[in-house]
Amino acid sequence: MIMTLNQQDLSGKIAVVTGAGRGLGIAIADVLADRGAHVIVNDRTLEPATEAAENIRRRGASASAVAFDVADTDQVEAAFRRLLADHGRVDILINNAGIGDFVSFPEISPEKWDRMINVHLKGSFICCQAVLASMKAQRYGKIVNVSSVAGKRGDFSGNAHYTAAKAGIIGLTKSLARYAAPFGINVNAIAPGLVATELTDEMSPEMKATTISNITAGRLGRPEEIARAAAFLVSDDASYIFGETLSVNGGSYMD
């Protein structure tokens, strides 16, 4: 009988998941923890991050919490300095933190535009920079940036600022993957379709119905379906994947 190792076992890995105090981030943190990683749960404030980490520990897995705003360079750099000092390394980074703002193009103010770009695109960039030196030194690292189907095909309902940010994440992923690959660092992205989280609760019933009508699967995605895709990309099963954006969208966009 041929014995094989579980290539998706993350035992002993240190993983940071941003925006993991709710929604998709919690699901990603849960899956990584269940596969053996120590998950550092981030949110903008400590309370939701602490609650999510406590829920993971109650299941017998390993987690801790940290608060910082991914759009604030000083906060990010200070937080990662502490994390690296406390844990010695970061093996996995999931840039998941994001915000929603379901508005049409004429409703996008410069302030709305800046906040959307800063949280999604700038936040992913800053966090990548914060872990890159340590990952290069250990010649190992897994980074997954959370984009969106909107970043590939444009958003049915408008949301040009969200779409631009998510498209930018795909470009960032490709560029960083080319730079980081020689150091043993895999950089990839996932592009979820509409997922049943608190974020979709902000959509009008009409907007949600229109979106679902364009999904081949005929339903919203479940957070755990997206989380398992992210977990695959940070596993050894994905060791030869660099710069890809994995679509997990129920068939709403096929490329």
Side-chain angles (χ1 to χ4, degrees):
M1 182 174 63
I2 299 175
M3 300 296 291
T4 59
L5 295 174
N6 180 358
Q7 297 297 295
Q8 294 195 23
D9 180 7
L10 301 177
S11 296
K13 303 300 185 186
I14 305 296
V16 176
V17 183
T18 67
R22 66 173 190 160
L24 180 56
I26 285 182
I28 294 173
D30 285 346
V31 170
L32 298 188
D34 289 345
R35 296 187 183 187
H38 173 80
V39 179
I40 300 165
V41 178
N42 156 261
D43 206 273
R44 193 177 178 190
T45 57
L46 193 57
E47 184 177 357
T50 299
E51 182 177 353
E54 288 175 349
N55 287 335
I56 290 172
R57 291 195 296 270
R58 275 194 285 269
R59 299 201 313 273
S62 181
S64 55
V66 63
F68 59 83
D69 182 347
V70 298
D72 188 312
T73 304
D74 291 340
Q75 287 188 35
V76 171
E77 291 178 349
F80 276 95
R81 281 196 299 270
R82 292 194 303 272
L83 294 177
L84 289 167
D86 291 343
H87 298 278
R89 67 190 195 282
V90 170
D91 302 300
I92 296 166
L93 170 64
I94 310 286
N95 283 311
N96 166 77
I99 56 175
D101 185 30
F102 299 101
V103 296
S104 66
F105 190 85
E107 297 175 276
I108 301 171
S109 66
E111 293 76 21
K112 284 177 177 286
W113 176 275
D114 288 346
R115 181 59 180 164
M116 189 67 71
I117 298 296
N118 285 343
V119 172
H120 289 272
L121 182 54
K122 179 185 173 185
S124 296
F125 161 70
I126 297 169
C127 290
C128 287
Q129 275 204 331
V131 299
L132 196 60
S134 64
M135 286 183 174
K136 285 171 61 177
Q138 68 190 24
R139 302 195 71 81
Y140 178 89
K142 306 283 187 177
I143 297 174
V144 172
N145 299 318
V146 178
S147 180
S148 167
V149 64
K152 287 191 166 188
R153 57 123 212 262
D155 199 321
F156 289 127
S157 55
N159 297 324
H161 52 343
Y162 179 84
T163 296
K166 291 302 193 181
I169 285 173
I170 293 174
L172 170 66
T173 297
K174 291 178 179 180
S175 182
L176 181 56
R178 289 184 179 275
Y179 173 81
F183 302 100
I185 303 168
N186 296 78
V187 184
N188 292 289
I190 55 174
L194 194 63
V195 182
T197 67
E198 296 94 333
L199 198 60
T200 58
D201 293 339
E202 300 174 16
M203 299 176 71
S204 69
E206 296 77 16
M207 185 183 294
K208 188 179 294 186
T210 298
T211 303
I212 292 174
S213 72
N214 289 286
I215 299 174
T216 303
R219 63 172 177 85
L220 300 181
R222 294 186 291 271
E224 62 270 20
E225 292 175 310
I226 314 303
R228 287 193 292 265
F232 162 70
L233 286 175
V234 302
S235 75
D236 287 341
D237 277 346
S239 59
Y240 201 54
I241 300 177
F242 296 87
E244 290 298 318
T245 299
L246 177 59
S247 294
V248 195
N249 62 38
S252 60
Y253 181 78
M254 304 178 191
D255 58 356

